[in-house]
Each structure stands twice: as structure tokens, then as C-alpha cells.
Amino acid sequence: MGNCRLGYRSAVEWLRSPEPLRWRRTYPGRADQVAVARRFAVSLFAGTGYEEEAGFIVAELASNAVRHTHSGHHGGWFGLEVVLEDVAYVGVTDQGGGGIPVVLPESPDQSVAEHGRGLRAVSRLAAALGIHGSSDGGHTVWADLDLCAETGIRPDLQAVLAS
């Protein structure tokens, strides 16, 4: 455990000490499984103050995997990995196909755009965002959440979650 949380003031802190906890699950590549993955991630972040952020990130990344890659084809799957420590890792792995995931810049007509805002919103919530892999072998899109940062109702979070 890092420097921001000393002692065991809660069950969550006890669960996270001394080694970070890691979970990996796979889901069928269907739209209904995005909500299942989201609920699982929210449960893992229970008590951290980052439940909504984690849920939003997983929903966006898993939705992209199902919509834009071979994961969403018949028999496809996507994977979710969560590592809980002071800077938590959330990664979604797809089966490749399509293009390389990118964070699109904001456009003046953003209010009418239906697509392209998800990764930008994730990048605003995350301490870091990255992608590794290939279109042929699959990508893992990941985000880090700094669990030591102050939480609470933040106007920027409300705007991101509303988009």
C-alpha cells in the first residue's frame, strides 16, 4: 500500500493491503454485458469514492470494444482487468479489428455528435489513459484512477458523466 493510506481505517483498506488486488474477467461481446461489467467494477471500487468514475470508464471502454471491434461479432468477447492500489488500473481488452482507438479533439458541433466523446470523457476522469496491442491481435485500452486524490462532488465530473 502506498503512502496516502496508513493503517486500516476501513474494510476496503484492509482488503487492499499489503498487495494490490487484481481481478480479470471475460464477458461475451454483447451490449447487455457492458452493464454487467460496469456493475462488477463499481462493486470493486465500493467505499473508495470512485465508484461512479470506475463505472463510467468501464462502460465506455467495454461499449467501444463491443461496437468497434471483433469483440462484438458472434462468439466475440471482451476482457476486464482491475488492479486496486493507490493508483488503480482499469483495462478493457478487445479482439481487434477496426481502427486504433484515439481520443478525438472537441469539435464546435460537439452537441450534435453521437460518437467520439467517450474516450475524451474517460481521459478527463483518469490520471492517465493508454492503449497497447494491435488491430490484428486486439487492444487493451486502460485508464488509471488516482485513489489518493480528493473525491467529492466535482463540477468537471458531473459534466463528464452527463455527456
Side-chain angles (χ1 to χ4, degrees), residues 1-23:
M1 187 90 106
N3 296 331
C4 73
R5 304 197 196 289
L6 301 174
Y8 301 122
R9 293 181 297 263
S10 72
V12 171
E13 290 182 52
W14 176 79
L15 283 170
R16 290 190 0 202
S17 270
E19 298 293 322
L21 296 177
R22 177 183 308 264
W23 294 265

Side-chain angles (χ1 to χ4, degrees), residues 61-160:
L61 300 183
S63 292
N64 285 349
V66 171
R67 285 184 193 142
H68 303 297
T69 75
H70 294 305
S71 293
H73 296 176
H74 178 72
W77 60 272
F78 66 92
L80 171 64
E81 181 175 17
V82 174
V83 179
L84 278 180
E85 53 187 332
D86 291 343
V87 177
Y89 170 91
V90 177
V92 172
T93 298
D94 64 45
Q95 290 187 280
I100 298 171
V102 296
V103 177
L104 298 175
E106 286 192 49
S107 64
D109 60 342
Q110 177 182 351
S111 61
V112 296
E114 291 183 27
H115 302 289
R117 295 185 289 168
L119 280 181
R120 186 170 55 248
V122 169
S123 73
R124 288 182 181 160
L125 292 174
L129 174 69
I131 300 160
H132 59 82
S134 68
S135 293
D136 295 331
H139 296 101
T140 298
V141 181
W142 57 268
D144 284 345
L145 285 171
D146 183 354
L147 301 186
C148 293
E150 286 294 317
T151 61
I153 298 176
R154 301 187 324 246
D156 60 323
L157 174 61
Q158 296 302 325
V160 168

